[in-house]
Amino acid sequence: MCGIVGYLNRGKKTKQPLGLTLYKMLGALGCRGPDSAGVALFTHGHRGALIVRVKLAEGNGHDGLAESVVQGVAAVGRVKTFSTQQGYLRLVLDYRGDVRPVERLIESMHKDVEVVSMGRSLEIIKQVGTPENLDSAYGISGLEGTHGVGHTRLSTESRVDLSHSQPFWAHGHPDVAVVHNGHITNYHKMRRRYEQKGVRFYTENDSEIIGVYLAQRLSEGLELKEALKASLVDLDGSFSYLAATARQVGFAKDPFAFKPLLFAETDTAVVVATEEMAIRSGLTGRYVVREAQAREVRVWSR
Amino acid sequence: MVEIDGEGRTTREINSAVQEAVSHGADDIRVRNTGGRHNLGVAILRPVRLTLDGSVGYYCAGLSDGPSVEVSGSAGWGLAESMMNGMITVRGHAGNGAGAAMRGGIIVVHGDAAARAGVSMKGGTILIGGNCGYMAGFMAQKGVLVVCGDTGEAFADSMYEAACFVGGKIGELGNDAVIEKPSPDDLELLESLLSKHFGRKLKNLKARLRAFQKVVAGRKLWNFDKREWKTWKEAL
């Protein structure tokens, strides 16, 4: 079990911040996975600057590391602002080119350092514990944005720590985040193939492969919808997963419909979640909720 | 009429209130603000009327024996699972596994049902007004599954003595599923089911009835036979 949620605002002003909506939705799914919680928010950004969220360490023990990362990264672009919060360093960088060299540069500074997310609007915040823990540590319910996805985890096969938590960023591809409920059974086979091509894996979590897969498909020039459709053929196992980009949110469900996923649309928003309770917690009013069918793929744009 | 407001109450508190009302002899109970909670109205063993005002989560009205439950919104996974008797009506859509392993009674879904509706049903009737998803009727042993719209893939796979009726297109037949012509008795049953439950919404009932196909087991998988290994290999 795991719980996943997604929310996309359709451009109208809403009363509550995106972070609060996702937090309420995750709260309704907390019992599906108390191991870790996380959100990927697509914010209004910093005028096109690159927002980088870096995991310095699993806990608070990262003295001096933040400063050396900031100094190091200044070699590729001006650091507009930076701050640390628990084990995270968040920095806003004036940088326009390919994000992969920046990621490699940051991660070369210490073996524990991991870029959790990168993009012009994407920010991933995740940690071990419940959605309540996540909110008290990072105040996610106050964060503004246009759309996002979230996850509560019940770990079945891999370690419980920040790196193994979801959402996963599609490393190397800015502004793409994935949350997954299920198991990818051809994970090891696919991982070996990617590793032969030089792709770095950060965890032993099978869900990580979806981000890697989508990053590759999107880099090939596929639209998100096409990439999701292609994944129905290439990924084996049980899955309902959500993928979000700077302007879209979409889902794919496996050919056997092993994992739940429901969605609802109104004039103001699109809401997707593992259970209807979460949908009702995120969006009030009257609307129809449907369960996605086997092999169904849907994408909504802003 | 007993009214229970679900707002601010846990599932256990709501269900306790419902059970208490049932044990005090109430025959009409309404729960407001269901909020998509799981396990609402389970294990009601008397013929009471329960209205769930809103959507419900998993296993709604499971293990029922006799009640008449109406859900005004949608229902999640495992609607009326293992029910013995009663009538469960869902105005919206139903999630996966509606009526799984049910033994008797009737489930009426006005909208669509997702995957595996009627999986392993052992009796009773499921009536779906819209479409159904993947693998509906899988391993159904007895009972009737009616789908007024289209079906998904692997429809009526590996069934025993259940009968399925489809008003729309069959997405793909499952293993050992065969189409046959509905008998006059079948048509009579369909007519009474449709007019009773969808009466006011239905136009041209007679014409619609003519479109129904009946799907039953081809009985190829009932007993293992080495000579039919090819069929088995496919099914397994």
Side-chain angles (χ1 to χ4, degrees):
Chain A
M1 284 213 313
C2 280
I4 60 176
V5 303
Y7 182 91
L8 178 128
N9 182 292
R10 286 189 148 161
K12 290 188 183 151
K13 277 234 180 259
T14 47
K15 279 179 223 124
Q16 65 181 19
L18 171 71
L20 181 58
T21 305
L22 291 176
Y23 172 58
K24 281 183 180 171
M25 292 177 74
L26 285 182
L29 295 183
C31 61
R32 288 189 71 93
D35 289 340
S36 71
V39 289
L41 296 127
F42 288 82
T43 63
H44 300 292
H46 287 262
R47 296 184 180 178
L50 194 63
I51 306 164
V52 188
R53 291 189 63 90
V54 182
K55 179 194 122 179
L56 298 171
E58 276 296 326
N60 283 317
H62 50 76
D63 290 340
L65 197 50
E67 286 71 20
S68 43
V69 171
V70 172
Q71 276 167 20
V73 87
V76 294
R78 189 171 67 87
V79 176
K80 293 175 95 171
T81 126
F82 75 94
S83 57
T84 54
Q85 213 179 8
Q86 314 271 344
Y88 281 97
L89 164 69
R90 175 184 184 272
L91 51 91
V92 180
L93 188 67
D94 236 340
Y95 179 84
R96 302 280 149 179
D98 183 2
V99 302
R100 280 171 296 186
V102 183
E103 188 186 3
R104 278 198 294 272
L105 174 68
I106 293 172
E107 288 174 349
S108 69
M109 289 174 201
H110 191 279
K111 66 174 174 50
D112 293 338
V113 167
E114 178 190 330
V115 175
V116 171
S117 72
M118 243 187 199
R120 313 284 163 194
S121 59
L122 169 66
E123 300 210 29
I124 291 180
I125 305 166
K126 56 184 179 179
Q127 69 163 22
V128 172
T130 61
E132 290 77 15
N133 297 149
L134 187 74
D135 191 42
S136 52
Y138 299 100
I140 56 163
S141 57
L143 300 175
E144 301 276 356
T146 51
H147 58 293
V149 294
H151 188 270
T152 60
R153 176 170 183 228
L154 183 85
S155 160
T156 50
E157 284 173 24
S158 56
R159 216 173 310 152
V160 176
D161 64 15
L162 192 153
S163 293
H164 284 74
S165 309
Q166 298 194 41
F168 281 115
W169 172 45
H171 282 272
H173 206 100
D175 293 309
V176 179
V178 176
V179 285
H180 167 229
N181 173 22
H183 286 108
I184 304 300
T185 46
N186 59 345
Y187 159 67
H188 291 285
K189 203 168 156 188
M190 286 180 80
R191 178 173 173 157
R192 272 199 300 281
R193 270 190 222 143
Y194 280 117
E195 280 177 334
Q196 281 163 2
K197 288 185 204 158
V199 176
R200 177 181 168 186
F201 281 76
Y202 294 78
T203 73
E204 265 115 43
N205 189 333
D206 56 339
S207 305
E208 188 185 359
I209 200 91
I210 302 175
V212 173
Y213 175 83
L214 289 181
Q216 183 221 328
R217 286 298 193 193
L218 295 171
S219 308
E220 287 167 8
L222 255 56
E223 289 290 319
L224 180 64
K225 192 167 190 176
E226 295 167 336
L228 294 175
K229 276 191 179 156
S231 80
L232 296 178
V233 178
D234 293 326
L235 300 175
D236 278 346
S238 62
F239 55 84
S240 280
Y241 75 86
L242 282 161
T245 67
R247 52 177 199 91
Q248 292 183 312
V249 172
F251 72 73
K253 197 176 206 178
D254 73 68
F256 298 97
F258 279 132
K259 292 289 172 183
L261 194 70
L262 299 106
F263 62 95
E265 295 181 65
T266 67
D267 292 345
T268 54
V270 176
V271 204
V272 193
T274 308
E275 294 180 14
E276 184 160 347
M277 265 191 296
I279 291 180
R280 302 270 163 203
S281 306
L283 187 64
T284 52
R286 288 185 75 85
Y287 50 84
V288 178
V289 177
R290 304 180 67 96
E291 170 125 30
Q293 300 283 2
R295 239 192 280 268
E296 188 164 345
V297 166
R298 260 171 209 264
V299 171
W300 293 274
S301 302
R302 280 203 28 91
Chain B
M1 156 94 89
V2 177
E3 282 219 6
I4 298 162
D5 191 353
E7 188 70 49
R9 279 193 159 120
T10 64
T11 303
R12 185 163 294 205
E13 285 165 352
I14 298 171
N15 275 341
S16 301
V18 170
Q19 290 291 354
E20 202 185 307
V22 172
S23 67
H24 283 104
D27 50 14
D28 199 357
I29 307 163
R30 177 181 287 264
V31 178
R32 293 193 188 283
N33 295 314
T34 49
R37 284 179 188 77
H38 301 319
N39 310 323
L40 287 177
V42 291
I44 297 177
L45 310 178
R46 277 199 35 219
V48 297
R49 198 181 137 80
L50 171 66
T51 309
L52 299 168
D53 218 348
S55 283
V56 297
Y58 296 178
Y59 311 119
C60 174
L63 306 169
S64 290
D65 195 2
S68 170
V69 180
E70 177 158 340
V71 179
S72 67
S74 293
W77 281 30
L79 170 73
E81 191 173 277
S82 293
M83 105 157 154
M84 303 297 287
N85 200 1
M87 183 167 115
I88 317 296
T89 309
V90 175
R91 295 279 161 195
H93 306 295
N96 282 8
M102 70 186 283
R103 284 180 173 273
I106 179 165
I107 298 174
V108 182
V109 179
H110 284 252
D112 299 338
R116 289 180 282 278
V119 54
S120 197
M121 63 191 289
K122 298 167 178 73
T125 305
I126 301 179
L127 180 54
I128 300 165
N131 305 328
C132 75
Y134 176 75
M135 237 181 193
F138 179 49
M139 291 191 85
Q141 285 139 61
K142 226 177 141 186
V144 176
L145 172 65
V146 183
V147 184
C148 297
D150 305 336
T151 82
E153 294 168 354
F155 183 67
D157 193 293
S158 308
M159 284 204 312
Y160 293 92
E161 288 185 88
C164 301
F165 298 93
V166 184
K169 279 200 289 282
I170 295 173
E172 175 214 41
L173 282 177
N175 292 303
D176 195 35
V178 288
I179 296 176
E180 64 176 42
K181 201 172 146 47
S183 68
D185 284 354
D186 292 333
L187 290 173
E188 203 174 302
L189 171 76
L190 279 175
E191 185 172 358
S192 75
L193 281 172
L194 295 181
S195 56
K196 182 172 173 199
H197 298 285
F198 300 140
R200 269 170 299 169
K201 282 208 275 183
L202 274 183
K203 282 179 195 141
N204 302 331
L205 181 61
K206 293 274 180 220
R208 272 173 159 255
L209 279 175
R210 275 198 295 275
F212 270 88
Q213 291 175 286
K214 184 180 185 184
V215 181
V216 295
R219 305 183 175 209
K220 284 263 166 61
L221 298 174
W222 285 18
N223 299 294
F224 180 69
D225 187 338
K226 219 161 63 179
R227 281 167 301 183
E228 288 170 352
W229 176 238
K230 230 182 124 188
T231 323
W232 278 86
K233 210 175 151 193
E234 180 110 330
L236 297 171

